[in-house]
Amino acid sequence: MKLLLATLALSAPLFAHHSFAAEFDEKKPVTLRGVVTRYDWTNPHVYFYVDVKEAGGAITNWGVEFQSPSELRRAGWSRDSLKVGDTVTVEGSAARDGSKTAGGKSVVLGSGKRLAPLGTITPITQAPKPAPHWPNGHIRLGPEPGQKGYWASPSVASLVESTAGNIRMNADGLLTNIADAAKVAPFQPWAKGLYEYRQKNFLKDDPSASCMPPGGPRQFQIPNGVRFLEDPDRGRIFVFSGGGNRNWRLIYLDGRTLPSGDDITPTYYGYSTGVWQGDTLTITSVAFNERFWFSNGGLPHTESLKLTEHITRPDSNVLKYDVTVDDAGAYTRPWNSGFTLQWVPDDMGEYFCDDSNRDPVHLADHPK
């Protein structure tokens, strides 16, 4: 068995689902020029190989890894954007382990055509309209009848206290300056230490790398989007995650009370009840377990975590999300944060975190 796993690892230089920050160093840019020898448009990451001529004339085959198909599709890519035999110039980040792999950022074809870089958001072309409403007067959080759409492209990478000011970080929530950690939230000493540990280790222990569900606000921060399915007749809303293995969260709007004491069974998404206050949906959630990160960047929490979320739709193209984090186990006081999401008038792409895993040995490094 050990020999088989070792063989698999050697034959697969590209990793399975993982934190890009843990595998690739943004401070070490790399430029590759060569010919595409393989291109896989697959979950959880799109990747291709390039034959690159080295200075001495030798040919080295490099692996280039991008994010998921749904993320690249929003940037204008498609399954046919690259073909075996294409001459390309790739800009990316070098692998931290020194292997011939790179985290891709942009691609220029031999024709001069530039494929949109990772993180590019196709701008909304339709003019904003008033937010649609249900017959009962409540705002629709999902698509209107006969239409399609979901929410994606959060305006911030990670939760940061609203009063913290501008704190620079990358798309994974990795701080540009670790000294800014104390500004992110009102941490208790142990929580600040854990947050800094996760940051200094480039988020390599992120439970999402082992395909754990994105609970809490992180459900709205995942790059693959989120969709609401509203069921007003039964007083409930389903929130479907585009970045997990068909994960979903249930919000009750039927007036029931939150569980307490022996009634609590902690889960990844907790137990949520909501009420409409004008055009704002206010949701209170408790009963979270500690096996996930409730925001990008590794913010810690305990089972005492209580979230009060406020969701509204100021127009057809924008969703506004605000949250109060109340966790006396990890923070010295409650604190607030928020961001916006962009409407994507399309079907939410299907994404499976554990598809095409090419390094089962590497996954053993992550918490189960």
Side-chain angles (χ1 to χ4, degrees), residues 108-141:
V108 177
L109 303 178
S111 64
K113 178 182 178 182
R114 174 180 289 273
L115 300 180
L118 180 68
T120 300
I121 302 171
T122 302
I124 295 177
T125 56
Q126 59 187 25
K129 300 181 296 184
H133 288 72
W134 286 90
N136 62 11
H138 293 154
I139 282 180
R140 284 184 181 269
L141 300 176

mmCIF file of all heavy atoms in Angstrom, residues 108-141:
data_model
loop_
_atom_site.group_PDB
_atom_site.id
_atom_site.type_symbol
_atom_site.label_atom_id
_atom_site.label_comp_id
_atom_site.label_asym_id
_atom_site.label_seq_id
_atom_site.Cartn_x
_atom_site.Cartn_y
_atom_site.Cartn_z
ATOM 1 N N VAL A 108 -1.144 34.059 -21.951
ATOM 2 C CA VAL A 108 -1.194 34.736 -23.249
ATOM 3 C C VAL A 108 -0.918 33.689 -24.320
ATOM 4 O O VAL A 108 0.107 32.999 -24.281
ATOM 5 C CB VAL A 108 -0.160 35.884 -23.335
ATOM 6 C CG1 VAL A 108 -0.197 36.521 -24.730
ATOM 7 C CG2 VAL A 108 -0.427 36.928 -22.260
ATOM 8 N N LEU A 109 -1.839 33.567 -25.277
ATOM 9 C CA LEU A 109 -1.668 32.615 -26.365
ATOM 10 C C LEU A 109 -0.662 33.124 -27.375
ATOM 11 O O LEU A 109 -0.337 34.318 -27.415
ATOM 12 C CB LEU A 109 -3.018 32.365 -27.040
ATOM 13 C CG LEU A 109 -4.154 31.855 -26.140
ATOM 14 C CD1 LEU A 109 -5.440 31.693 -26.944
ATOM 15 C CD2 LEU A 109 -3.772 30.534 -25.494
ATOM 16 N N GLY A 110 -0.176 32.230 -28.235
ATOM 17 C CA GLY A 110 0.778 32.614 -29.257
ATOM 18 C C GLY A 110 0.234 33.677 -30.189
ATOM 19 O O GLY A 110 0.990 34.467 -30.761
ATOM 20 N N SER A 111 -1.102 33.723 -30.347
ATOM 21 C CA SER A 111 -1.742 34.727 -31.202
ATOM 22 C C SER A 111 -1.727 36.118 -30.587
ATOM 23 O O SER A 111 -2.061 37.101 -31.248
ATOM 24 C CB SER A 111 -3.197 34.321 -31.469
ATOM 25 O OG SER A 111 -3.934 34.316 -30.249
ATOM 26 N N GLY A 112 -1.351 36.187 -29.309
ATOM 27 C CA GLY A 112 -1.376 37.461 -28.597
ATOM 28 C C GLY A 112 -2.610 37.653 -27.743
ATOM 29 O O GLY A 112 -2.691 38.598 -26.959
ATOM 30 N N LYS A 113 -3.572 36.748 -27.893
ATOM 31 C CA LYS A 113 -4.793 36.850 -27.089
ATOM 32 C C LYS A 113 -4.490 36.524 -25.639
ATOM 33 O O LYS A 113 -3.847 35.525 -25.334
ATOM 34 C CB LYS A 113 -5.864 35.891 -27.612
ATOM 35 C CG LYS A 113 -7.141 35.895 -26.794
ATOM 36 C CD LYS A 113 -8.154 34.893 -27.321
ATOM 37 C CE LYS A 113 -9.411 34.876 -26.453
ATOM 38 N NZ LYS A 113 -10.399 33.868 -26.931
ATOM 39 N N ARG A 114 -4.932 37.386 -24.736
ATOM 40 C CA ARG A 114 -4.729 37.163 -23.309
ATOM 41 C C ARG A 114 -6.004 36.596 -22.687
ATOM 42 O O ARG A 114 -7.078 37.182 -22.818
ATOM 43 C CB ARG A 114 -4.353 38.469 -22.608
ATOM 44 C CG ARG A 114 -4.255 38.349 -21.081
ATOM 45 C CD ARG A 114 -3.879 39.669 -20.443
ATOM 46 N NE ARG A 114 -2.503 40.020 -20.729
ATOM 47 C CZ ARG A 114 -1.467 39.608 -19.991
ATOM 48 N NH1 ARG A 114 -1.666 38.831 -18.935
ATOM 49 N NH2 ARG A 114 -0.240 39.972 -20.307
ATOM 50 N N LEU A 115 -5.860 35.452 -22.033
ATOM 51 C CA LEU A 115 -6.979 34.915 -21.260
ATOM 52 C C LEU A 115 -7.055 35.689 -19.948
ATOM 53 O O LEU A 115 -6.026 35.979 -19.340
ATOM 54 C CB LEU A 115 -6.780 33.425 -20.991
ATOM 55 C CG LEU A 115 -6.670 32.533 -22.234
ATOM 56 C CD1 LEU A 115 -6.468 31.079 -21.820
ATOM 57 C CD2 LEU A 115 -7.912 32.662 -23.108
ATOM 58 N N ALA A 116 -8.261 36.037 -19.544
ATOM 59 C CA ALA A 116 -8.427 36.855 -18.349
ATOM 60 C C ALA A 116 -7.714 36.218 -17.167
ATOM 61 O O ALA A 116 -7.803 35.006 -16.962
ATOM 62 C CB ALA A 116 -9.909 37.037 -18.036
ATOM 63 N N PRO A 117 -6.993 36.997 -16.372
ATOM 64 C CA PRO A 117 -6.262 36.438 -15.237
ATOM 65 C C PRO A 117 -7.179 35.963 -14.134
ATOM 66 O O PRO A 117 -8.338 36.378 -14.041
ATOM 67 C CB PRO A 117 -5.387 37.610 -14.764
ATOM 68 C CG PRO A 117 -6.136 38.828 -15.207
ATOM 69 C CD PRO A 117 -6.798 38.441 -16.496
ATOM 70 N N LEU A 118 -6.649 35.079 -13.307
ATOM 71 C CA LEU A 118 -7.386 34.580 -12.161
ATOM 72 C C LEU A 118 -7.854 35.736 -11.289
ATOM 73 O O LEU A 118 -7.110 36.671 -11.022
ATOM 74 C CB LEU A 118 -6.482 33.665 -11.327
ATOM 75 C CG LEU A 118 -7.100 33.044 -10.074
ATOM 76 C CD1 LEU A 118 -8.164 32.048 -10.463
ATOM 77 C CD2 LEU A 118 -6.025 32.354 -9.247
ATOM 78 N N GLY A 119 -9.109 35.679 -10.869
ATOM 79 C CA GLY A 119 -9.656 36.721 -10.011
ATOM 80 C C GLY A 119 -10.370 37.816 -10.776
ATOM 81 O O GLY A 119 -11.033 38.657 -10.177
ATOM 82 N N THR A 120 -10.224 37.807 -12.120
ATOM 83 C CA THR A 120 -10.940 38.791 -12.911
ATOM 84 C C THR A 120 -12.439 38.501 -12.860
ATOM 85 O O THR A 120 -12.859 37.353 -12.990
ATOM 86 C CB THR A 120 -10.464 38.765 -14.376
ATOM 87 O OG1 THR A 120 -9.084 39.061 -14.417
ATOM 88 C CG2 THR A 120 -11.229 39.774 -15.211
ATOM 89 N N ILE A 121 -13.221 39.517 -12.674
ATOM 90 C CA ILE A 121 -14.666 39.360 -12.621
ATOM 91 C C ILE A 121 -15.269 39.989 -13.864
ATOM 92 O O ILE A 121 -15.035 41.163 -14.146
ATOM 93 C CB ILE A 121 -15.256 40.037 -11.370
ATOM 94 C CG1 ILE A 121 -14.624 39.437 -10.100
ATOM 95 C CG2 ILE A 121 -16.773 39.896 -11.331
ATOM 96 C CD1 ILE A 121 -14.997 40.196 -8.847
ATOM 97 N N THR A 122 -16.001 39.202 -14.617
ATOM 98 C CA THR A 122 -16.676 39.751 -15.776
ATOM 99 C C THR A 122 -17.690 40.782 -15.301
ATOM 100 O O THR A 122 -18.575 40.469 -14.501
ATOM 101 C CB THR A 122 -17.390 38.647 -16.567
ATOM 102 O OG1 THR A 122 -16.427 37.665 -16.967
ATOM 103 C CG2 THR A 122 -18.073 39.217 -17.796
ATOM 104 N N PRO A 123 -17.568 42.030 -15.751
ATOM 105 C CA PRO A 123 -18.465 43.064 -15.231
ATOM 106 C C PRO A 123 -19.918 42.813 -15.617
ATOM 107 O O PRO A 123 -20.207 42.216 -16.661
ATOM 108 C CB PRO A 123 -17.937 44.349 -15.881
ATOM 109 C CG PRO A 123 -17.211 43.887 -17.103
ATOM 110 C CD PRO A 123 -16.633 42.549 -16.748
ATOM 111 N N ILE A 124 -20.819 43.256 -14.752
ATOM 112 C CA ILE A 124 -22.238 43.134 -15.047
ATOM 113 C C ILE A 124 -22.586 44.065 -16.201
ATOM 114 O O ILE A 124 -22.253 45.246 -16.182
ATOM 115 C CB ILE A 124 -23.076 43.498 -13.803
ATOM 116 C CG1 ILE A 124 -22.811 42.487 -12.682
ATOM 117 C CG2 ILE A 124 -24.558 43.539 -14.130
ATOM 118 C CD1 ILE A 124 -23.533 42.810 -11.394
ATOM 119 N N THR A 125 -23.216 43.506 -17.217
ATOM 120 C CA THR A 125 -23.576 44.317 -18.376
ATOM 121 C C THR A 125 -25.006 44.835 -18.291
ATOM 122 O O THR A 125 -25.342 45.817 -18.936
ATOM 123 C CB THR A 125 -23.410 43.500 -19.665
ATOM 124 O OG1 THR A 125 -24.193 42.291 -19.569
ATOM 125 C CG2 THR A 125 -21.947 43.114 -19.879
ATOM 126 N N GLN A 126 -25.831 44.167 -17.487
ATOM 127 C CA GLN A 126 -27.210 44.619 -17.380
ATOM 128 C C GLN A 126 -27.315 45.723 -16.328
ATOM 129 O O GLN A 126 -26.699 45.650 -15.273
ATOM 130 C CB GLN A 126 -28.131 43.452 -17.018
ATOM 131 C CG GLN A 126 -27.776 42.762 -15.706
ATOM 132 C CD GLN A 126 -28.592 41.508 -15.471
ATOM 133 O OE1 GLN A 126 -29.075 40.892 -16.409
ATOM 134 N NE2 GLN A 126 -28.755 41.134 -14.218
ATOM 135 N N ALA A 127 -28.081 46.746 -16.646
ATOM 136 C CA ALA A 127 -28.264 47.851 -15.713
ATOM 137 C C ALA A 127 -29.024 47.374 -14.482
ATOM 138 O O ALA A 127 -29.898 46.509 -14.579
ATOM 139 C CB ALA A 127 -29.024 48.981 -16.394
ATOM 140 N N PRO A 128 -28.694 47.907 -13.299
ATOM 141 C CA PRO A 128 -29.413 47.482 -12.098
ATOM 142 C C PRO A 128 -30.881 47.894 -12.165
ATOM 143 O O PRO A 128 -31.233 48.959 -12.673
ATOM 144 C CB PRO A 128 -28.681 48.221 -10.967
ATOM 145 C CG PRO A 128 -28.020 49.383 -11.627
ATOM 146 C CD PRO A 128 -27.661 48.914 -12.997
ATOM 147 N N LYS A 129 -31.707 47.001 -11.665
ATOM 148 C CA LYS A 129 -33.141 47.258 -11.570
ATOM 149 C C LYS A 129 -33.524 47.176 -10.099
ATOM 150 O O LYS A 129 -32.757 46.694 -9.269
ATOM 151 C CB LYS A 129 -33.912 46.213 -12.379
ATOM 152 C CG LYS A 129 -33.572 46.169 -13.858
ATOM 153 C CD LYS A 129 -34.409 45.116 -14.575
ATOM 154 C CE LYS A 129 -34.087 43.710 -14.066
ATOM 155 N NZ LYS A 129 -34.815 42.661 -14.814
ATOM 156 N N PRO A 130 -34.707 47.628 -9.746
ATOM 157 C CA PRO A 130 -35.155 47.433 -8.360
ATOM 158 C C PRO A 130 -35.148 45.951 -8.015
ATOM 159 O O PRO A 130 -35.386 45.090 -8.867
ATOM 160 C CB PRO A 130 -36.573 48.007 -8.369
ATOM 161 C CG PRO A 130 -36.586 48.991 -9.488
ATOM 162 C CD PRO A 130 -35.683 48.400 -10.536
ATOM 163 N N ALA A 131 -34.843 45.637 -6.779
ATOM 164 C CA ALA A 131 -34.822 44.238 -6.357
ATOM 165 C C ALA A 131 -36.205 43.616 -6.546
ATOM 166 O O ALA A 131 -37.225 44.235 -6.234
ATOM 167 C CB ALA A 131 -34.412 44.146 -4.890
ATOM 168 N N PRO A 132 -36.255 42.378 -7.063
ATOM 169 C CA PRO A 132 -37.556 41.714 -7.239
ATOM 170 C C PRO A 132 -38.164 41.333 -5.891
ATOM 171 O O PRO A 132 -37.441 41.115 -4.912
ATOM 172 C CB PRO A 132 -37.213 40.483 -8.066
ATOM 173 C CG PRO A 132 -35.773 40.195 -7.739
ATOM 174 C CD PRO A 132 -35.137 41.536 -7.516
ATOM 175 N N HIS A 133 -39.485 41.229 -5.839
ATOM 176 C CA HIS A 133 -40.189 40.905 -4.603
ATOM 177 C C HIS A 133 -41.128 39.709 -4.806
ATOM 178 O O HIS A 133 -41.588 39.442 -5.916
ATOM 179 C CB HIS A 133 -41.017 42.102 -4.120
ATOM 180 C CG HIS A 133 -40.206 43.220 -3.562
ATOM 181 N ND1 HIS A 133 -39.432 44.061 -4.347
ATOM 182 C CD2 HIS A 133 -40.027 43.647 -2.271
ATOM 183 C CE1 HIS A 133 -38.829 44.951 -3.580
ATOM 184 N NE2 HIS A 133 -39.165 44.725 -2.331
ATOM 185 N N TRP A 134 -41.403 39.041 -3.721
ATOM 186 C CA TRP A 134 -42.429 38.009 -3.682
ATOM 187 C C TRP A 134 -43.809 38.673 -3.565
ATOM 188 O O TRP A 134 -43.906 39.846 -3.180
ATOM 189 C CB TRP A 134 -42.209 37.094 -2.474
ATOM 190 C CG TRP A 134 -41.057 36.155 -2.626
ATOM 191 C CD1 TRP A 134 -39.757 36.381 -2.271
ATOM 192 C CD2 TRP A 134 -41.088 34.848 -3.193
ATOM 193 N NE1 TRP A 134 -38.975 35.300 -2.567
ATOM 194 C CE2 TRP A 134 -39.764 34.340 -3.126
ATOM 195 C CE3 TRP A 134 -42.094 34.049 -3.730
ATOM 196 C CZ2 TRP A 134 -39.434 33.064 -3.599
ATOM 197 C CZ3 TRP A 134 -41.762 32.770 -4.197
ATOM 198 C CH2 TRP A 134 -40.458 32.296 -4.133
ATOM 199 N N PRO A 135 -44.863 37.943 -3.870
ATOM 200 C CA PRO A 135 -46.206 38.513 -3.703
ATOM 201 C C PRO A 135 -46.498 39.012 -2.286
ATOM 202 O O PRO A 135 -47.282 39.942 -2.100
ATOM 203 C CB PRO A 135 -47.132 37.348 -4.082
ATOM 204 C CG PRO A 135 -46.328 36.535 -5.044
ATOM 205 C CD PRO A 135 -44.920 36.621 -4.538
ATOM 206 N N ASN A 136 -45.810 38.407 -1.283
ATOM 207 C CA ASN A 136 -46.039 38.848 0.094
ATOM 208 C C ASN A 136 -45.258 40.107 0.447
ATOM 209 O O ASN A 136 -45.300 40.577 1.590
ATOM 210 C CB ASN A 136 -45.706 37.727 1.088
ATOM 211 C CG ASN A 136 -44.233 37.305 1.044
ATOM 212 O OD1 ASN A 136 -43.392 37.967 0.431
ATOM 213 N ND2 ASN A 136 -43.918 36.188 1.696
ATOM 214 N N GLY A 137 -44.496 40.652 -0.516
ATOM 215 C CA GLY A 137 -43.771 41.893 -0.302
ATOM 216 C C GLY A 137 -42.314 41.733 0.053
ATOM 217 O O GLY A 137 -41.553 42.705 0.000
ATOM 218 N N HIS A 138 -41.875 40.523 0.436
ATOM 219 C CA HIS A 138 -40.479 40.317 0.795
ATOM 220 C C HIS A 138 -39.596 40.286 -0.453
ATOM 221 O O HIS A 138 -40.013 39.835 -1.529
ATOM 222 C CB HIS A 138 -40.311 39.009 1.567
ATOM 223 C CG HIS A 138 -40.966 39.025 2.903
ATOM 224 N ND1 HIS A 138 -41.403 37.881 3.536
ATOM 225 C CD2 HIS A 138 -41.275 40.051 3.741
ATOM 226 C CE1 HIS A 138 -41.954 38.197 4.707
ATOM 227 N NE2 HIS A 138 -41.876 39.513 4.842
ATOM 228 N N ILE A 139 -38.383 40.749 -0.298
ATOM 229 C CA ILE A 139 -37.420 40.731 -1.401
ATOM 230 C C ILE A 139 -37.090 39.293 -1.785
ATOM 231 O O ILE A 139 -36.966 38.409 -0.930
ATOM 232 C CB ILE A 139 -36.146 41.491 -0.988
ATOM 233 C CG1 ILE A 139 -36.374 43.001 -1.081
ATOM 234 C CG2 ILE A 139 -34.954 41.107 -1.856
ATOM 235 C CD1 ILE A 139 -35.180 43.831 -0.703
ATOM 236 N N ARG A 140 -36.935 39.060 -3.074
ATOM 237 C CA ARG A 140 -36.444 37.767 -3.548
ATOM 238 C C ARG A 140 -34.915 37.760 -3.459
ATOM 239 O O ARG A 140 -34.245 38.646 -4.001
ATOM 240 C CB ARG A 140 -36.849 37.533 -5.009
ATOM 241 C CG ARG A 140 -38.300 37.158 -5.218
ATOM 242 C CD ARG A 140 -38.538 36.864 -6.696
ATOM 243 N NE ARG A 140 -39.915 36.517 -6.969
ATOM 244 C CZ ARG A 140 -40.412 35.277 -6.953
ATOM 245 N NH1 ARG A 140 -39.609 34.264 -6.680
ATOM 246 N NH2 ARG A 140 -41.689 35.051 -7.217
ATOM 247 N N LEU A 141 -34.371 36.763 -2.807
ATOM 248 C CA LEU A 141 -32.930 36.611 -2.720
ATOM 249 C C LEU A 141 -32.391 35.742 -3.850
ATOM 250 O O LEU A 141 -31.191 35.749 -4.137
ATOM 251 C CB LEU A 141 -32.531 36.016 -1.376
ATOM 252 C CG LEU A 141 -32.945 36.844 -0.151
ATOM 253 C CD1 LEU A 141 -32.580 36.115 1.135
ATOM 254 C CD2 LEU A 141 -32.298 38.231 -0.183
#
